[in-house]
Amino acid sequence: MVKQKKAQLEIFGLMIVIVLVMLGIFFAIKFVLLDPAPTLKQDYNRVQLSSNFGVALLQSSSDDCRGIDFSELITDCAEFQTISCDGKRSCDYINTTLDSILKDTLDLWKVKYHIVARLSSHPEPIIEKYSVDSADRQNCKNDKKTVGSLETFFLPMSHSGSDMVNFEVFICG
Amino acid sequence: MKKKSQMQFGETIAILFIFFMLLVVGLVFYVKIKTASVGQDISEYKDVRAVELSQTVAFLPEFQCTEMNVVEPSCFDKYKILAMQKVSEANHAYYYRDLGDILIEVQQIYPFGETIVPYNSTPETFTVASQAHIPISLYDVESEKYIFGVLRITTYG
Amino acid sequence: MSRIRKNKLLASKKAQEAETQFKWIFVLIAGAVIIGFFSIVVIKQKASSETSISAKLTQQLNTVLTGSKVTAGTFQEIDTPKFSVEFSCNDYYVGDISKRLNNKIVFAPEKIEGRMINTWTLEWNAPYKVANFLYITNPDIRYVFVVEESLKDLSFFEQLNTSLPVKLNRNFNILTYDEDPESEYSTLKPRAETHTRFIYLTEEKFTPKIPPLFSGREVSGLLILPIYAGTGDINNLVFLKNDGDELVVRELQDSTFTKIRYLDNPTLYGAIFSTNPDTYVCTLNKAWLQWNVMSEVISEKVLQLKELLVDTTCSKIYLRGAVENPSGIPGEIAKNTKLGYDPELNILGNYVSSLKNINNELQLRSCPLLY
């Protein structure tokens, strides 16, 4: 009887060892092997891309529109479309030029994006561009649910009081 | 008696054997975990280095537009970059200390124009090349216009 | 009980005793081996962890230093694990790990210990932007500013007061140097700082006495002589070291120079934060080298602008002497004489003024600026 109890105790001891080892393996797998990889570079690239793209675009001077910069063309497109460039209205000119720029930059780099210009008082977009792959229209949209980096630029309008144009550059993560 | 002691001895040996087996398994497991952790640290370090390099290049005084020493944000001076093309060749060791084996290119996207290479330290052989693209506004003092450009940094590993 | 049985029992008892003894010996040896093994593992693991922490801290510091290169005019307080960092001209060391500073211009004490690093960055313009200077210190280093009695004009002192960061651990009351035991200077008390740096503004070179309550503590000093009354020489610096109860001159180990001069305010602040004169001069050399390279870039830009704007009012301004080849005159002198910073030269000061005037004229005439 005593021998039986001794053997049971020994087995019990072995069980404790096994349980401890299993716990150790569980923690190691959970916190080391399954630990998500840091995304510093991707996060930084997304943030700098959305910010720098917007700044560079808005500051750029038009080539065949008397050197007027894009921020002015966008606000004109939102207001009265009085500026005419190379036979085109400001909105058409911006759309064509933006397509050309995006083809050589974000589309070429296969970056998913959603670029919108709209009045702060009106949600309907004046200018809207999505990444080239049509499937991305569903996946990359500047709504609250999609993960990404948004940079908004506020362009005051000359004749519309407190209203302004919100130019949004959203890069999907 | 003899058999009993032999059995006990055998028991002790068996326990020790199992103990050391567990120890070895534990050590091997620990080394594997540590290797994975170090690998992750190396990867994180490479990412940090890439981000630091991007920042260093994007904020070089040799590129920045200034007016009476007031730096214009996100603006690159085209003629300073053209000047740097010559200067970086003559002072390669100086720039190499901070930049290392990378290729810096400034491409004019709109209106379309030449690609300027202010710094080139491409090694003869490399295993991996990664690129970072930074949209920039390039100021042309001749036309007094801002060009939409891209600063491309190719890092070699 | 029969005799044989008694003998058997005795033998059995003895065998059991022997067995017990051997068991205990075996347990002791096995236990010692196991404890020894795990002790070695723990010691090695501790050393490895310390190296790992040093490496992480080095990387963190590198990120801070790189970040500071791109943003100027900021004072940062960075919490760190308990550490000790040593700075030289070209490297910094955290434990066993060292990292190159490369082209970064860093003014720091030889050693910083504690749980916080303070960094301050300033643009160095000469006259165009050359680099961002990075000054490093920590709250355990205290700066005491003392005005020598002979100094009559306190405007320099007041300008220094307003330009240094507010959060710097410093004494900036007008503390006059006075060896009288009852004076404010002599009765100055240490606080919790590990290192005290006395900065004396003076017109004469002298050997200051350390306030008595600071005796035995880690102390260093600096004499700033905006105008040296003896010779009329300007912008002189004398680094001082602790020698018992007074601060004596800490000579440069490199005897190329007989004196040290600061060029402007950013380089003066560098002398306040650096405790080693050799490191300070070496760092100024690095700054000078960057200035040379930047001057070449500006020079090359000017040559291009000159060709673009040929036969215009602007090109006439670009054609003027020092402008056509801005790195030529002072750059050539700098390269040919001391290959870098030379306290005997004041060309940089004159050259900077000349370029500023030309840039102002370019602005008035709406010409593309030099900088």
Side-chain angles (χ1 to χ4, degrees):
Chain A
M1 194 66 177
V2 171
K3 272 189 185 170
Q4 204 180 13
K5 288 225 159 114
K6 213 172 160 185
Q8 281 173 357
L9 270 170
E10 281 191 23
I11 296 291
F12 191 63
L14 274 171
M15 284 292 298
I16 289 173
V17 168
I18 290 167
V19 164
L20 285 172
V21 166
M22 294 297 290
L23 268 172
I25 293 170
F26 168 73
F27 278 111
I29 291 170
K30 175 89 172 66
F31 294 111
V32 179
L33 294 174
L34 291 181
D35 201 20
T39 56
L40 169 74
K41 191 173 163 190
Q42 292 93 309
D43 293 342
Y44 170 79
N45 283 343
R46 229 178 19 239
V47 168
Q48 70 85 9
L49 201 52
S50 56
S51 169
N52 288 332
F53 188 89
V55 168
L57 183 72
L58 293 171
Q59 208 170 25
S60 296
S61 314
S62 54
D63 191 20
D64 27 49
C65 202
R66 303 177 296 284
I68 300 171
D69 58 33
F70 273 82
S71 57
E72 216 178 306
L73 285 171
I74 290 170
T75 50
D76 180 72
C77 174
E79 281 183 307
F80 308 116
Q81 299 192 48
T82 52
I83 299 173
S84 178
C85 307
D86 207 26
K88 291 182 192 163
R89 291 260 183 230
S90 50
C91 293
D92 294 330
Y93 182 81
I94 290 168
N95 273 308
T96 319
T97 313
L98 197 48
D99 282 336
S100 163
I101 291 174
L102 288 167
K103 186 171 75 87
D104 288 332
T105 53
L106 300 183
D107 291 333
L108 186 66
W109 307 332
K110 297 190 179 6
V111 171
K112 294 182 200 165
Y113 60 87
H114 181 207
I115 296 172
V116 175
R118 58 174 123 235
L119 286 171
S120 52
S121 58
H122 208 277
E124 205 54 42
I126 307 158
I127 296 160
E128 191 168 27
K129 299 286 173 197
Y130 286 97
S131 20
V132 165
D133 185 354
S134 60
D136 286 335
R137 280 174 197 259
Q138 310 305 320
N139 295 336
C140 186
K141 197 169 180 177
N142 180 13
D143 52 33
K144 304 280 186 234
K145 298 169 231 170
T146 314
V147 170
S149 173
L150 170 69
E151 196 69 37
T152 309
F153 302 87
F154 301 99
L155 310 174
M157 296 197 291
S158 43
H159 301 109
S160 301
S162 59
D163 206 359
M164 52 175 74
V165 176
N166 292 358
F167 186 75
E168 297 166 3
V169 179
F170 182 71
I171 306 289
C172 294
Chain B
M1 185 96 151
K2 206 176 174 182
K3 276 197 177 159
K4 192 182 170 190
S5 61
Q6 277 176 350
M7 260 181 68
Q8 267 199 328
F9 195 64
E11 223 177 80
T12 313
I13 300 286
I15 287 168
L16 280 172
F17 180 73
I18 290 168
F19 173 74
F20 282 112
M21 278 295 295
L22 280 173
L23 204 64
V24 164
V25 165
L27 275 170
V28 165
F29 193 65
Y30 173 76
V31 164
K32 281 211 182 307
I33 298 284
K34 201 76 181 166
T35 310
S37 170
V38 164
Q40 211 171 55
D41 283 345
I42 291 171
S43 169
E44 203 181 313
Y45 166 76
K46 279 185 179 163
D47 280 357
V48 167
R49 170 88 186 120
V51 168
E52 282 176 4
L53 204 56
S54 289
Q55 283 201 314
T56 302
V57 172
F59 287 91
L60 278 173
E62 288 87 332
F63 289 169
Q64 288 174 326
C65 301
T66 57
E67 187 162 326
M68 303 304 266
N69 273 336
V70 173
V71 174
E72 210 179 312
S74 302
C75 171
F76 283 54
D77 186 330
K78 182 177 168 182
Y79 282 88
K80 268 164 118 175
I81 296 174
L82 282 166
M84 199 188 151
Q85 235 178 347
K86 279 191 187 170
V87 173
S88 69
E89 276 173 28
N91 296 281
H92 189 263
Y94 167 80
Y95 285 107
Y96 188 83
R97 274 198 291 271
D98 263 349
L99 303 176
D101 285 323
I102 66 169
L103 169 66
I104 303 175
E105 295 167 291
V106 175
Q107 187 184 2
Q108 296 176 88
I109 301 287
Y110 176 82
F112 184 77
E114 55 176 337
T115 299
I116 312 167
V117 181
Y119 177 80
N120 185 358
S121 184
T122 308
E124 279 174 17
T125 53
F126 54 89
T127 47
V128 142
S130 66
Q131 277 191 342
H133 307 276
I134 303 171
I136 56 170
S137 188
L138 202 57
Y139 181 64
D140 183 344
V141 76
E142 186 191 0
S143 59
E144 290 180 340
K145 283 184 181 178
Y146 289 90
I147 301 164
F148 186 99
V150 167
L151 174 68
R152 192 161 48 236
I153 306 166
T154 310
T155 318
Y156 300 100
Chain C
M1 208 185 279
S2 69
R3 219 179 183 180
I4 298 164
R5 225 174 145 191
K6 260 190 192 171
N7 286 341
K8 270 188 182 175
L9 269 168
L10 212 68
S12 169
K13 210 176 170 184
K14 277 185 182 168
Q16 270 187 351
E17 279 171 17
E19 193 189 322
T20 311
Q21 279 175 354
F22 276 117
K23 242 189 198 168
W24 274 110
I25 291 167
F26 177 73
V27 161
L28 277 170
I29 293 169
V33 165
I34 291 167
I35 286 172
F37 173 77
F38 281 108
S39 300
I40 291 168
V41 165
V42 162
I43 289 166
K44 290 254 182 255
Q45 185 60 28
K46 182 171 176 276
S48 159
S49 293
E50 277 170 2
T51 307
S52 174
I53 289 173
S54 295
K56 282 207 159 91
L57 188 59
T58 308
Q59 184 50 44
Q60 196 184 11
L61 202 51
N62 195 57
T63 306
V64 167
L65 296 180
T66 305
S68 72
K69 267 187 88 170
V70 306
T71 51
T74 51
F75 184 82
Q76 287 187 73
E77 292 169 299
I78 301 151
D79 288 311
T80 60
K82 196 162 192 290
F83 70 97
S84 168
V85 188
E86 289 172 39
F87 286 92
S88 69
C89 181
N90 293 306
D91 305 274
Y92 61 97
Y93 308 87
V94 181
D96 297 327
I97 311 289
S98 71
K99 202 143 173 85
R100 301 287 288 175
L101 285 169
N102 296 326
N103 293 337
K104 295 182 189 73
I105 314 286
V106 176
F107 295 99
E110 283 165 293
K111 194 171 187 177
I112 293 181
E113 287 178 308
R115 289 184 184 278
M116 190 182 273
I117 287 180
N118 291 347
T119 63
W120 182 39
T121 55
L122 261 192
E123 271 183 10
W124 187 46
N125 299 321
Y128 28 79
K129 183 177 168 179
V130 178
N132 284 343
F133 282 0
L134 177 62
Y135 309 100
I136 298 181
T137 182
N138 89 341
D140 294 331
I141 300 173
R142 182 181 170 196
Y143 300 86
V144 179
F145 291 82
V146 184
V147 177
E148 217 281 309
E149 276 178 301
S150 62
L151 201 72
K152 298 191 180 40
D153 181 7
L154 296 175
S155 59
F156 184 89
F157 179 89
E158 276 146 18
Q159 179 252 309
L160 203 58
N161 186 16
T162 51
S163 49
L164 287 172
V166 169
K167 286 185 179 178
L168 198 67
N169 178 9
R170 58 183 177 168
N171 261 74
F172 231 121
N173 314 315
I174 301 180
L175 198 63
T176 311
Y177 181 76
D178 186 349
E179 291 182 16
D180 187 286
E182 303 297 318
S183 68
E184 206 184 337
Y185 175 77
S186 297
T187 54
L188 189 69
K189 284 184 193 152
R191 294 180 203 146
E193 68 271 19
T194 52
H195 182 102
T196 315
R197 192 152 169 75
F198 287 93
I199 318 288
Y200 301 91
L201 270 77
T202 177
E203 284 176 343
E204 302 283 346
K205 286 182 186 172
F206 70 110
T207 305
K209 292 253 185 287
I210 299 170
L213 292 169
F214 284 82
S215 117
R217 295 177 72 90
E218 205 179 295
V219 163
S220 66
L222 178 73
L223 293 184
I224 301 175
L225 299 98
I227 300 170
Y228 181 21
T231 60
D233 203 8
I234 59 167
N235 298 358
N236 275 269
L237 293 167
V238 179
F239 283 75
L240 305 171
K241 64 181 178 187
N242 193 347
D243 188 32
D245 62 345
E246 59 184 15
L247 290 165
V248 298
V249 176
R250 184 172 174 176
E251 302 286 357
L252 279 167
Q253 293 198 337
D254 172 11
S255 55
T256 313
F257 306 128
T258 52
K259 63 181 169 190
I260 306 172
R261 286 167 72 187
Y262 60 93
L263 306 167
D264 47 22
N265 281 348
T267 49
L268 169 62
Y269 305 146
I272 291 171
F273 290 98
S274 300
T275 50
N276 186 327
D278 290 281
T279 307
Y280 175 71
V281 168
C282 175
T283 308
L284 284 185
N285 262 325
K286 279 170 71 174
W288 194 274
L289 174 62
Q290 289 201 21
W291 178 79
N292 275 338
V293 172
M294 197 60 202
S295 299
E296 281 182 48
V297 172
I298 299 291
S299 175
E300 195 55 47
K301 178 186 168 184
V302 165
L303 288 171
Q304 289 176 47
L305 288 176
K306 201 182 68 172
E307 285 188 26
L308 268 177
L309 301 164
V310 71
D311 291 333
T312 61
T313 321
C314 301
S315 70
K316 290 191 180 92
I317 303 174
Y318 295 138
L319 276 168
R320 280 191 215 154
V323 178
E324 180 169 348
N325 194 5
S327 71
I329 300 165
E332 283 305 314
I333 293 170
K335 277 174 196 168
N336 292 333
T337 53
K338 301 291 180 191
L339 290 171
Y341 162 76
D342 182 352
E344 297 300 337
L345 290 175
N346 200 26
I347 299 293
L348 190 59
N350 295 335
Y351 177 67
V352 163
S353 308
S354 153
L355 274 188
K356 274 183 183 169
N357 293 335
I358 290 167
N359 211 44
N360 289 338
E361 197 181 335
L362 287 167
Q363 192 182 39
L364 278 169
R365 295 186 191 281
S366 304
C367 297
L369 303 178
L370 296 180
Y371 62 90

